[in-house]
Amino acid sequence: MKPTLYVMAAGMGSRYGGLKQMDGLGPSGETIIDYSIYDAIKVGFGKIVFVIRHDFEEDFRNIVVAKFASKIPVEIVFQDLTNLPKGFTVNPERVKPWGTNHAVLMGKDIVKEPFAVINGDDFYGRNSFQVLCDELVKMDGKKGQYCMVGFPVKNTLSESGTVSRGVCKKDAQGYLTSIVEHTKIGDIDGKIINTNEDGTQTEIMPNVPVSMNMWGFTPDYFDYSIEFFKEFLKVNEKSLKAEFYIPTMVDHLINTAKAKVKVIDTESKWFGVTYAADKESVQQKLNELIDKGMYPSNLWK
């Protein structure tokens, strides 16, 4: 059974700069999502599932999905604030989504095979999709054995400012032991430095793996997530801002010994539009990959 690629595109907007995920960055108007889907098809994924908001459905189908719907099966699910386990209700004043792991839960009724989870506005690179797809094939039929792609932190920096990254630690066997969010990582005088909240600085070695929200799960992950989401909601049901993140769920599973998460190395370099000023750099990097023959100048021609 071929694995599924689950793409979190719910908000349809990048985190900074107001650039939408539907904005063209490639030479023929390709979005970053286009490159992710192209890579996924190339390495052997069998289906794409997008999680989006209801109000983007028409534009998303016409502008994004229509380009590659004939190449691979595509399904769409919707992230809705009111989609909560029985017995819970959303604060009527809340507008903020419930977070990345809530977005993942939206696919529980249609994803029945090993699946990858990625952000819609990150460029991950062909090798990262290949190593993840290969690992997911091995995971078929198993439970509680997951994986994530760990990018060397040096390959995930922005030229326009600091970035937030989940810095990972793994054991001697290559399994994840912790993820700690560092919110202001940047290059300072040739060193990779995180500026802590108290103003102190911590150096991070260039090859330390970080999470870029590129995960691999089997369907039992949904069952664990539903149960832990209920515990989360018992504390945060009326909150306007609390979010249920994938790393929160993964950390819980590791600490309770319910699952193990293998950290897979990749040679790919991440890039994305973290800041508006990154757009030109992203376009340049895409053109360089096209010049090297990695991608055609028109992906879907």
Side-chain angles (χ1 to χ4, degrees):
M1 181 178 291
K2 291 185 176 182
T4 286
L5 180 67
Y6 193 86
V7 184
M8 296 186 293
M12 291 309 300
S14 63
R15 286 157 287 189
Y16 302 96
L19 291 167
K20 294 180 180 179
Q21 293 172 22
M22 290 189 288
D23 283 356
L25 296 171
S28 299
E30 293 88 353
T31 65
I32 286 181
I33 286 178
D34 284 312
Y35 287 96
S36 292
I37 303 308
Y38 185 87
D39 283 340
I41 293 171
K42 284 289 186 181
V43 304
F45 282 87
K47 181 174 69 177
I48 310 297
V49 177
F50 289 103
V51 55
I52 64 171
R53 293 203 323 245
H54 273 288
D55 52 334
F56 286 114
E57 181 180 7
E58 184 176 359
D59 284 345
F60 192 77
R61 288 187 183 276
N62 293 335
I63 298 173
V64 179
V65 176
K67 290 183 286 187
F68 46 75
S70 64
K71 309 288 185 182
I72 189 170
V74 177
E75 296 194 54
I76 293 177
V77 296
F78 303 97
Q79 187 175 20
D80 191 318
L81 279 176
T82 62
N83 193 330
L84 301 177
K86 186 177 180 180
F88 295 96
T89 57
V90 66
N91 186 327
E93 296 182 8
R94 181 173 180 126
V95 295
K96 191 177 186 65
W98 284 108
T100 52
N101 211 57
H102 180 254
V104 171
L105 272 173
M106 300 304 98
K108 63 182 176 60
D109 294 329
I110 65 170
V111 178
K112 306 300 181 183
E113 57 283 316
F115 64 103
V117 177
I118 66 168
N119 293 332
D121 54 0
D122 289 323
F123 182 93
Y124 292 101
R126 179 78 51 81
N127 179 257
S128 64
F129 283 98
Q130 184 69 70
V131 296
L132 183 52
C133 185
D134 291 346
E135 192 65 29
L136 287 168
V137 170
K138 298 176 188 176
M139 288 162 50
D140 191 19
K142 298 180 180 178
K143 293 184 177 182
Q145 297 185 38
Y146 310 139
C147 64
M148 61 156 280
V149 177
F151 286 76
V153 65
K154 65 182 180 182
N155 287 351
T156 72
L157 303 180
S158 169
E159 298 169 2
S160 304
T162 60
V163 295
S164 294
R165 298 288 180 255
V167 177
C168 302
K169 289 185 180 180
K170 55 184 179 178
D171 62 21
Q173 288 72 46
Y175 287 95
L176 185 68
T177 58
S178 71
I179 301 180
V180 178
E181 192 72 14
H182 290 60
T183 59
K184 290 186 178 180
I185 300 176
D187 187 316
I188 299 178
D189 297 328
K191 295 182 178 180
I192 300 174
I193 301 293
N194 180 69
T195 302
N196 305 308
E197 290 186 7
D198 61 3
T200 60
Q201 295 182 334
T202 303
E203 183 177 0
I204 303 173
M205 293 297 101
N207 289 317
V208 167
V210 296
S211 168
M212 298 304 299
N213 258 357
M214 194 174 200
W215 301 92
F217 300 116
T218 47
D220 57 302
Y221 182 78
F222 293 122
D223 297 326
Y224 287 127
S225 293
I226 291 170
E227 292 308 308
F228 193 52
F229 190 37
K230 292 176 183 177
E231 297 303 313
F232 171 89
L233 289 172
K234 287 177 183 178
V235 178
N236 299 289
E237 180 180 13
K238 300 306 178 184
S239 171
L240 298 179
K241 295 183 177 181
E243 294 186 62
F244 185 45
Y245 295 114
I246 295 172
T248 304
M249 184 67 225
V250 169
D251 189 62
H252 168 73
L253 291 174
I254 291 172
N255 288 331
T256 56
K258 292 179 179 177
K260 299 175 71 175
V261 179
K262 184 177 181 180
V263 180
I264 312 168
D265 296 327
T266 180
E267 62 189 38
S268 292
K269 291 186 177 181
W270 170 94
F271 54 84
V273 185
T274 305
Y275 299 92
D278 289 331
K279 183 175 182 179
E280 184 176 345
S281 174
V282 168
Q283 291 173 320
Q284 180 181 341
K285 289 172 182 175
L286 289 172
N287 285 328
E288 289 172 359
L289 291 170
I290 291 167
D291 290 342
K292 292 178 181 178
M294 181 64 70
Y295 302 101
S297 58
N298 188 327
L299 286 185
W300 308 117
K301 185 175 180 180

